[in-house]
Amino acid sequence: MSDFKKLEDFATQVRRDILRQVHKVNSGHPGGSLGCTEFFTALYQEIMEHNTDFDMDGKDEDLFFLSNGHISPVFYSVLARSGYFPVKELDTFRLIDSRLQGHPTTHEGLPGIRIASGSLGQGMSVALGAAQAKKLNGDKHLVYTLHGDGELQEGQNWEAIMYAAGNKVDNIISTVDLNGQQIDGSTETVLPMGNLKAKFEAFGWDVMEIENGNDLKQVIEGLKEAKTRTGKGKPVCILMTTVMGHGVDFMMHTHAWHGKAPNDEQLEKALSQNPETMGDY
């Protein structure tokens, strides 16, 4: 494992980036972004074999597809701080003619972005195509995806989940962010999804769980365990429990910050809980 303190500092700085991005334009999705900070930190700083000299073919490297694209603030921050594009470009988030739109798109040519994921429920379908292409090309690298729990209410996910197991796509690791919140309330209130572990297993997946997706060590260990389960005839699912808004006390445990930006006073309070570690943009 890399220097763990550096990984923690990386995650703290990413949280600052998330908050500052959405505050500047009074727009964006801080809640889910903050909740998935440890996942993105682990993935890009510790787990994936990836190339910052980005090309869309993605040969001989691991690939990542963000399905719940509205959590773009965390994705952009981690990509920038991992070397895909200049960190100072984070200051253009959601501005006209920026490459960093509210939902990631591909026509701006932002390094690290492989699909447009504004519409929910489509990421796994695209990722499965990439995973099968890797198999056909004899490329032993893996494909990773991230999905929101509320996103699984979209039916296309379940067609893809069924397809993956039916075609033994065993070079994919799909993580579901179980924060229990979505735009209009809790997932249990809006549309209960029942036992997701039992559902994925019934569809033929190898399912594992990360009990605390905001514990960086647990996330790293969980992703490493998931890698050992690939190549055995089944796609791998990680059910990762997180807290929406994690790291900012007044944003946690509520859907209220799904798509709401902090005001000046709230930003100051939130940043005081996440001190600068790597230098603000």
Side-chain angles (χ1 to χ4, degrees):
M1 186 182 294
S2 302
D3 185 327
F4 190 71
K5 179 61 165 57
K6 289 183 179 179
L7 293 177
E8 290 182 313
D9 287 347
F10 186 96
T12 299
Q13 189 64 50
V14 168
R15 284 198 162 87
R16 288 182 66 88
D17 292 347
I18 292 165
L19 294 161
R20 296 179 68 236
Q21 284 176 86
V22 298
H23 168 264
K24 178 181 178 181
V25 292
N26 194 31
S27 180
H29 296 79
S33 294
L34 292 167
C36 285
T37 297
E38 283 75 19
F39 172 83
F40 276 91
T41 298
L43 194 67
Y44 276 87
Q45 291 294 301
E46 189 70 22
I47 299 297
M48 279 207 311
E49 297 179 15
H50 59 105
N51 186 0
T52 57
D53 186 14
F54 182 76
D55 72 85
M56 288 296 282
D57 287 338
K59 294 179 179 179
D60 300 317
E61 63 176 319
D62 295 336
L63 306 181
F64 172 70
F65 294 90
L66 175 64
S67 191
N68 50 330
H70 56 277
I71 66 168
S72 60
V74 64
F75 195 16
Y76 294 151
S77 172
V78 170
L79 286 175
R81 294 193 179 274
S82 296
Y84 280 84
F85 56 87
V87 172
K88 64 182 180 181
E89 194 170 350
L90 296 175
D91 198 38
T92 71
F93 177 67
R94 279 187 176 243
L95 298 181
I96 294 175
D97 295 329
S98 170
R99 298 196 295 178
L100 280 63
Q101 289 303 304
H103 293 82
T105 60
T106 54
H107 65 271
E108 285 92 352
L110 184 66
I113 305 300
R114 298 192 178 279
I115 58 168
S117 53
S119 299
L120 296 175
Q122 300 178 9
M124 188 178 294
S125 296
V126 178
L128 288 172
Q132 288 191 301
K134 282 195 174 294
K135 281 180 169 286
L136 290 170
N137 291 333
D139 186 338
K140 301 299 184 182
H141 287 81
L142 301 175
V143 175
Y144 294 85
T145 67
L146 179 65
H147 312 264
D149 47 4
E151 183 187 7
L152 295 185
Q153 294 161 358
E154 296 277 359
Q156 182 175 328
N157 287 294
W158 297 98
E159 296 178 38
I161 291 164
M162 178 169 58
Y163 179 93
N167 288 274
K168 296 180 172 57
V169 186
D170 58 0
N171 57 338
I172 189 168
I173 299 173
S174 294
T175 300
V176 180
D177 174 23
L178 297 177
N179 62 28
Q181 307 291 338
Q182 59 189 99
I183 189 169
D184 290 326
S186 71
T187 52
E188 283 299 304
T189 299
V190 176
L191 182 61
M193 289 174 289
N195 188 331
L196 286 176
K197 185 174 189 291
K199 286 182 177 179
F200 269 92
E201 287 178 340
F203 274 71
W205 284 58
D206 181 6
V207 184
M208 55 176 290
E209 297 174 278
I210 295 177
E211 293 183 1
N212 184 355
N214 297 121
D215 182 315
L216 187 54
K217 286 184 178 179
Q218 278 195 36
V219 177
I220 291 171
E221 290 169 2
L223 286 166
K224 287 182 176 179
E225 167 67 19
K227 288 178 69 172
T228 69
R229 300 191 183 197
T230 59
K232 298 179 180 179
K234 288 186 176 184
V236 178
C237 170
I238 301 174
L239 298 177
M240 179 181 71
T241 301
T242 69
V243 174
M244 178 173 276
H246 185 80
V248 179
D249 56 9
F250 61 88
M251 291 186 177
M252 295 170 65
H253 303 292
T254 173
H255 74 282
W257 294 92
H258 170 89
K260 174 185 175 183
N263 60 31
D264 292 349
E265 181 181 349
Q266 290 166 333
L267 176 68
E268 184 178 354
K269 182 178 180 181
L271 291 179
S272 72
Q273 298 173 33
N274 294 275
E276 186 176 353
T277 58
M278 297 175 64
D280 289 334
Y281 57 84

